[in-house]
Amino acid sequence: MAPVVSSLDPNKGPIAGGTAVTINGSGFTGVTAVKFGTVSASFTVISTSQIIATSPAGSGTVNVTVVATSGTSNGFAYAYVAIPVLSSLAPGRGPTSGGNTVIVTGTNLSAATSVQFNTSPAVITGNSATQVTVTAPAAPAAPAVVTVTTAGGASNPLPYFYIPAPTISLLSPDKGPLSAGNTVTITGSNLTLTSTVRFGATAATGVTVDSDSQVIANAPSGSGSVTVTVTTPGGTSTPGPGTAYYTYLVAPAVSSLNPSSGPALGGTTVTLTGSGLTFADEVRFGSVPVPFTAVSDTQIIAVAPGGAPGTVTVVVRTPAGTSSGIPYQYVT
């Protein structure tokens, strides 16, 4: 009775050949040849029901047959698969924590069995002849090579870069007006690839990367105290202890001076009453900065300097801006 082939394992392999194929069936006695299409393959008869053959080079789909002294078996399909070729990764970089989606584009990618980032396997979430969608594994901050393996073999490698997460250590200034446009210098690490800076949930404008440790951005309008974050391909920063918060301040206002006049020699203690005065960084009588103490958000005590007889304007400056002036009179 002629031999019978019931299955092949595997039933596909690379066009270069060299795949060990287990042929299962019956009547494998007196075997003289194993053929992939018309091409003879090297083989070893394991038993009357099993042969191991090495696929020769080939293309397309061919029938595998076993030739014995008792006759030739039925044919069983074996498919030659072209080697996968990669052309791009999108994105080509990501966080060391992994978990981001990467689309691998190329040709001959159907039925991918694995996608490796160096030696770490990625989770395959989608697959077609031209694309494999994966979830990147975690890895240290360094370049990695990505390869795709199918029945046709392993692809060419493409580089993928693991980027460390950005950090923020300092904001300067860390306070500003409710209105947009205040220029803030952000100091930290791993900032080179910054794509977005956010004050709370609102994106900043005018983002400029000065170096890996410094980014400049224009604060958006806002209120209260908000967390400032930086986003790069390495992820989004997390706030450090007290260093990544930005406080929006109302503009300072001065409503009265007590007294509102004093001797030209100066030295008068003057109480300034108003609002938004807590973070005052300068009090001026005319053009002269004076020593002062911010007692509360509504009161500052300052010492008037000497001045020529006449009237000068008193102003208070905070990170939110400079108050409108209120007159102080020097008398002889």
Side-chain angles (χ1 to χ4, degrees), residues 87-305:
S87 56
S88 67
L89 305 176
R93 50 198 174 196
T96 56
S97 58
N100 56 306
T101 298
V102 178
I103 297 175
V104 184
T105 300
T107 56
N108 308 320
L109 303 182
S110 294
T113 55
S114 73
V115 177
Q116 300 282 124
F117 284 61
N118 284 341
T119 58
S120 299
V123 176
I124 298 174
T125 58
N127 193 188
S128 70
T130 58
Q131 280 189 345
V132 184
T133 303
V134 300
T135 301
V145 292
V146 176
T147 56
V148 174
T149 300
T150 70
S155 72
N156 58 301
L158 286 182
Y160 179 86
F161 299 91
Y162 280 98
I163 309 297
T167 64
I168 297 177
S169 58
L170 182 68
L171 302 178
S172 181
D174 61 0
K175 302 175 182 68
L178 304 178
S179 58
N182 192 36
T183 300
V184 178
T185 299
I186 301 166
T187 301
S189 61
N190 307 318
L191 304 180
T192 297
L193 300 174
T194 295
S195 58
T196 307
V197 175
R198 292 187 181 277
F199 284 63
T202 308
T205 59
V207 176
T208 302
V209 177
D210 278 352
S211 68
D212 193 57
S213 60
Q214 187 168 285
V215 172
I216 295 175
N218 296 327
S221 59
S223 62
S225 183
V226 298
T227 302
V228 177
T229 57
V230 172
T231 300
T232 73
T236 297
S237 64
T238 54
T243 59
Y245 297 93
Y246 182 84
T247 302
Y248 287 97
L249 304 176
V250 296
V254 179
S255 56
S256 67
L257 304 178
N258 185 24
S260 59
S261 63
L265 291 176
T268 302
T269 298
V270 180
T271 300
L272 291 70
T273 300
S275 60
L277 306 180
T278 298
F279 296 103
D281 52 37
E282 185 178 76
V283 174
R284 283 187 284 113
F285 279 61
S287 61
V288 182
V290 301
F292 69 93
T293 300
V295 178
S296 68
D297 197 57
T298 60
Q299 195 172 81
I300 289 175
I301 295 175
V303 178

Side-chain angles (χ1 to χ4, degrees), residues 3-26:
V4 175
V5 176
S6 57
S7 68
L8 304 178
D9 184 23
N11 61 2
K12 61 183 70 173
I15 57 178
T19 302
V21 179
T22 299
I23 305 171
N24 297 304
S26 59

